[in-house]
């Protein structure tokens, strides 16, 4: 008889990974979408489940999901036949016992007694026995047909399994063919040498292109002093007097203020994506800020405005219209945000994330930091 291991082509010592591989191969072949049938697919799955449970040596049984015809299943039909057979056998035994008791009762009496009722019961029992035999004769062909269908499915599975083994053998043979010519030699020697040479060239060229002064500013904790604004002196000739007078060009009011008062420096952080309360290193005035992944900051102080501290290495050629350049501070280009995204507390409260100059800043912990800033500014005033 056929076992579950015979269907899958496995043995009791086959590893679980190999059993699963055989199941996948057979499923791909007998799947209804690949030209197979639902009955074969259910039978393969039933065999795989029994082998996985360690019941591979058990004789093959038809799963409950394998259909015999359009109105039933193999297992349900067989169970129905078995149940009917048991009921008929029990009824047959009961009738035989009643018949024997009836005959014994007639022989024990003295002399022949004509009992029409007993004779009628005997004839009925004999008729029921005939009907039971007819029913048994009718059910036997169905049982034989079910067994034949089971053997047919098993034979088709073995055929599919043999075809898969042939395909696997051909695939292994074709994959092991080596390409002739210089390609194997080139792949072993020349290609690695070319790849290594290109890697060295890229490293050397990239090292020359790196702006090392700007790179070292990331690791410099001490802020550099701002440069004093330059004043250009122009000497004008007086037609009536040969003495030269020094004429100083007017300097921008904002640059004068920067030359008189030191710029407030940010306290840098390594934690991006979270608003936090801090204070400037020079004036110790409170502010809240958030750092992006590129090292830029969005800062808001007691004035209520928002400024963008753009990291110098990431300064673009063109900036959006809502960014107004103010000055340079530390290694940042400082821009005012008078309108647009990020220019008010409402925009930060209503959004999870804002894009400012191609950089993303989240609103994580903004509400808490803003309330803390208002409290600090209120105490300071």
């Amino acid at each position: 008889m056929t076992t579950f291991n015979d269907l899958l082509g496995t043995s009791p010592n086959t590893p679980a990974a190999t059993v699963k591989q055989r199941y996948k191969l057979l499923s791909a072949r007998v799947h209804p979408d690949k030209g197979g049938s639902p009955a074969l697919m259910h039978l393969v799955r039933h065999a795989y489940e029994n082998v996985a449970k360690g019941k591979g040596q058990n004789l093959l049984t038809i799963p409950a999901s394998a259909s015999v015809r359009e109105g039933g299943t193999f297992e349900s039909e067989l169970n129905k036949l078995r149940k009917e057979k048991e009921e008929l056998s029990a009824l047959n035994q009961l009738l035989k016992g009643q018949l024997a008791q009836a005959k014994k009762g007639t022989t024990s009496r003295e002399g022949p007694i004509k009992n029409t009722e007993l004779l009628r019961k005997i004839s009925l029992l004999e008729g029921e026995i005939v009907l039971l035999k007819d029913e048994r004769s009718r059910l036997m062909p169905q049982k034989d047909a079910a067994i034949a269908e089971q053997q047919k499915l098993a034979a088709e599975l073995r055929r599919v399994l043999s075809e898969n083994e042939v395909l696997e053998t051909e695939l292994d043979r074709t994959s092991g063919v080596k390409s002739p010519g210089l390609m194997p030699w080139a792949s072993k020697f020349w290609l690695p040498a070319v790849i290594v040479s290109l890697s060295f060239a890229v490293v050397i060229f990239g090292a020359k292109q790196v702006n090392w002064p700007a790179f070292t500013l990331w690791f410099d904790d001490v802020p550099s002093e701002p440069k004093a604004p330059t004043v250009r002196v122009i000497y004008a000739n007086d037609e009536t007097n040969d003495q030269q007078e020094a004429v100083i060009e007017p300097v921008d009011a904002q640059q004068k203020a920067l030359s008189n008062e030191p710029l407030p420096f940010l306290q840098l952080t390594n934690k991006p994506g979270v608003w936090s309360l801090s204070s400037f290193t020079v004036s110790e005035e409170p502010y809240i800020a958030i750092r992006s992944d590129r090292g830029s900051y969005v800062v808001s102080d007691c004035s209520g405005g928002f400024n963008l501290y753009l990291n110098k290495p990431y300064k673009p050629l063109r900036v959006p219209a809502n960014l107004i350049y103010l000055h340079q501070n530390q290694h940042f280009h400082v821009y005012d945000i008078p309108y647009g995204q990020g220019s008010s507390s409402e925009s930060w409260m209503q959004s999870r994330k804002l894009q400012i100059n191609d950089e993303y800043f989240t609103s994580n912990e903004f509400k808490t930091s803003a309330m803390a800033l208002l409290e600090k500014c209120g105490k300071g005033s």
Side-chain angles (χ1 to χ4, degrees), residues 116-134:
T116 57
E117 184 67 22
L118 182 60
L119 293 176
R120 187 178 64 81
K121 289 182 178 181
I122 292 173
S123 62
L124 289 176
L125 292 175
E126 290 177 349
E128 290 180 356
I129 291 174
V130 173
L131 290 177
L132 290 175
K133 291 181 179 179
D134 293 340

Side-chain angles (χ1 to χ4, degrees), residues 22 25-29 159-169:
R22 303 295 297 179
L25 289 174
L26 285 176
S27 300
R29 295 287 298 174
R159 180 183 60 80
V160 171
L161 180 61
S162 61
E163 291 179 359
N164 283 335
E165 292 177 350
V166 172
L167 291 175
E168 291 175 1
T169 304

Side-chain angles (χ1 to χ4, degrees), residues 178-220:
K178 296 183 178 180
S179 58
L182 297 177
M183 289 302 296
W185 182 77
S187 61
K188 289 182 179 179
F189 299 101
W190 283 100
L191 293 180
V194 172
I195 292 173
V196 172
S197 302
L198 291 176
S199 301
F200 275 111
V202 169
V203 170
I204 294 172
F205 180 75
K208 292 181 179 179
Q209 297 297 323
V210 173
N211 187 1
W212 293 107
F215 180 77
T216 55
L217 288 175
W218 285 86
F219 305 96
D220 188 7

Side-chain angles (χ1 to χ4, degrees), residues 222-366:
V222 180
S224 59
E225 294 294 336
K227 297 181 180 180
T230 58
V231 179
R232 187 158 55 95
V233 180
I234 301 176
Y235 294 95
N237 294 326
D238 190 1
E239 295 180 356
T240 60
N241 193 358
D242 294 336
Q243 186 180 2
Q244 295 181 346
E245 297 180 355
V247 180
I248 301 176
E249 288 185 347
V251 183
D252 186 67
Q254 184 177 4
Q255 293 183 353
K256 287 183 179 180
L258 291 176
S259 62
N260 295 329
E261 298 180 1
L263 292 175
F265 293 129
L266 296 178
Q267 292 188 7
L268 304 183
T269 179
N270 293 326
K271 185 177 181 181
V274 178
W275 284 88
S276 60
L277 178 66
S278 184
S279 60
F280 292 106
T281 58
V282 177
S283 61
E284 297 184 356
E285 294 182 0
Y287 69 91
I288 57 173
I290 184 173
R291 182 181 183 271
S292 69
D293 294 334
R294 293 184 177 181
S296 299
Y297 290 80
V298 173
V299 180
S300 177
D301 53 14
C302 293
S303 64
F306 289 85
N307 295 331
L308 171 64
Y309 281 66
L310 179 62
N311 197 2
K312 288 177 63 177
Y314 296 100
K315 180 183 179 182
L317 297 177
R318 300 176 64 182
V319 297
N322 66 328
L323 298 181
I324 309 301
Y325 182 78
L326 298 178
H327 53 80
Q328 180 177 338
N329 189 350
Q330 294 171 278
H331 57 279
F332 299 104
H333 293 288
V334 183
Y335 292 85
D336 182 25
I337 311 177
Y339 63 92
Q341 288 190 348
S343 61
S344 62
S345 300
E346 289 77 7
S347 62
W348 291 103
M349 297 284 288
Q350 296 173 1
S351 303
R352 290 186 177 180
K353 181 169 58 175
L354 295 179
Q355 181 181 5
I356 302 175
N357 194 36
D358 296 334
E359 294 189 53
Y360 289 95
F361 299 88
T362 66
S363 59
N364 189 13
E365 299 294 334
F366 174 79

Side-chain angles (χ1 to χ4, degrees), residues 46 60-68 72-83 146 150:
H46 182 61
L60 179 66
T61 57
I62 301 300
S65 57
S67 60
V68 177
T73 62
F74 273 124
E75 191 67 25
S76 61
E77 188 68 20
L78 289 176
N79 292 334
K80 182 179 179 182
L81 293 177
R82 293 192 189 100
K83 186 176 180 181
Q150 176 182 354

